Amino acid sequence: MAPPSSDQPADAAEAAQAGAISKVLVVIAMQTEALPLVTKFRLVEAATEESIFPKGAPWTRFHGDYKGLHIDLVWPGKDPILGVDSVGTVSAALVTYASIQLLKPDLIINAGTAGGFKAKGAGIGDVYLASDVAFHDRRIPIPVFDSYGIGARKTFATLNIVKQLNLKVGKLSTGDSLDMSPHDESAILSNDATVKDMEGAAVAYVAEMFSTPAIFVKAVTDIVDGEKPTAEEFLQNLISVTMALDQVA
Amino acid sequence: MAPPSSDQPADAAEAAQAGAISKVLVVIAMQTEALPLVTKFRLVEAATEESIFPKGAPWTRFHGDYKGLHIDLVWPGKDPILGVDSVGTVSAALVTYASIQLLKPDLIINAGTAGGFKAKGAGIGDVYLASDVAFHDRRIPIPVFDSYGIGARKTFATLNIVKQLNLKVGKLSTGDSLDMSPHDESAILSNDATVKDMEGAAVAYVAEMFSTPAIFVKAVTDIVDGEKPTAEEFLQNLISVTMALDQVA
């Protein structure tokens, strides 16, 4: 997909300093990833009577003011039958869509954990800001549909954030599986990705639809091209790496 | 995922006859699939000033009355940059969500084309009603998360529709790729699927979230376990098979 015009690169930090950004929507996939940020930003959970989401949706919202910004932090919540976090592209797209419509944020921050590729320089606990996002599990081998499936997008330019927080920068590739099949791997290589998650490109798709700037901050919980199985390493590192994400915030 | 309780099986046709269903939402992925139904039901396109969807969303709606039912037919529209139909789970979930909130349908019909497995008895042009839906490309090898990823659901019981329209019945498996990787194939076999599409399980997920009954009518455009590449066979048969879908309606 053609990247958005970059004739006039915007900068989230500069815009925030200039007062252009007053409402930030933080979209997170898992409760474990969200809670340290809730504490850090001193957010409070929206009471049932304050709920902005329709009855039936398990989506959860915390909100509060922090350093002059109003922050809404949402996550797709627990699956009502299975009790696990509603991870993946469909849930993330839905809660992002509903939150954009109901909260009209000036900026979206999709924060969370990711797999990293050591061949591209990633290590456990590294925090990346994504320069680009794309999907790696939407293969549609028909001309033009192929580009739609990959859904490659440049993210909102954030040079000052990178400098101020000393983040690493790399491309992010998104898919609905925690593991990586050979087909996924080939697409991830083609996407030139350093980090791999399960939500980013879907959040970017919805954000672009409504012209809302979005940035992607991903902390590495497991090395995809390493020796340990992803699921095991992911669970071992989820808590400690989530703390790294907290320290960047 | 545990199927919903089937102690009191509902039946869409009976419910419609009893007057319980007056508003039907038809969710379709591609314009080519939608237009024969628009003609069949004599639907008219919602004018720009009637648009119920937020500015920025490419989603399209046709509506009208047919045999005592009010029908809204939606599809995710053309990608604004690439110009192709916005196929796949994310777009389908979003337009289904927005339509449920804005139109409050009594029944959702997700209609469209699908790949069929000849090993399970499917042939080109066959029209299936899905008894079950599941995903085949959301592999999350952590206990319970694995079931969430597969997202298996029983569909709304529609025995009368099957009898009246002489449809075939089979399980539907959904993924965001038109082709089928070995990992997909293994998951599709595990899902015991006869037909394979790119939207159904996502529509089912959203419908269940808001307790809206949903049925899935899928016409076979290509044989996945046949000799021709799926993309080629799909394009060759899309028009003629869409006509088969029209004749069932």
Side-chain angles (χ1 to χ4, degrees), chain A residues 53 57-59 76 88-101 202-203 206, chain B residues 89-98 202 205-207 209-210:
Chain A
F53 299 129
W59 313 330
T89 61
V90 165
S91 300
L94 289 169
V95 75
T96 301
Y97 169 74
S99 299
I100 289 176
Q101 299 309 316
V203 172
V206 180
Chain B
T89 62
V90 165
S91 300
L94 289 169
V95 75
T96 301
Y97 169 75
Y205 174 74
V206 179
M209 189 180 285
F210 301 105

Side-chain angles (χ1 to χ4, degrees), chain A residues 1 54-56 59 82 84 86-87 91 97 101 137-139 144 148 176-179 184 205 209-210, chain B residues 1 54-56 59 82 84 86-87 91 97 101 137-139 144 148 176-179 184 205 209-210:
Chain A
M1 183 162 302
K55 185 165 181 287
W59 313 330
L82 296 167
V84 295
S86 304
V87 299
S91 300
Y97 169 74
Q101 299 309 316
D137 62 353
R138 310 198 323 173
R139 302 177 307 276
V144 192
Y148 166 82
D176 274 306
S177 294
L178 183 65
D179 68 9
D184 291 346
Y205 175 74
M209 190 180 285
F210 301 106
Chain B
M1 183 163 300
K55 186 165 177 290
W59 312 330
L82 295 168
V84 295
S86 304
V87 299
S91 300
Y97 169 75
Q101 299 310 314
D137 62 354
R138 310 198 323 172
R139 303 177 307 275
V144 192
Y148 166 81
D176 274 305
S177 293
L178 184 65
D179 68 8
D184 291 345
Y205 174 74
M209 189 180 285
F210 301 105

Side-chain angles (χ1 to χ4, degrees), chain A residues 149-166:
Chain A
I150 295 166
R153 288 174 165 78
K154 290 256 172 225
T155 64
F156 191 57
T158 45
L159 290 177
N160 276 359
I161 290 181
V162 171
K163 277 184 250 160
Q164 286 169 12
L165 300 178
N166 201 25

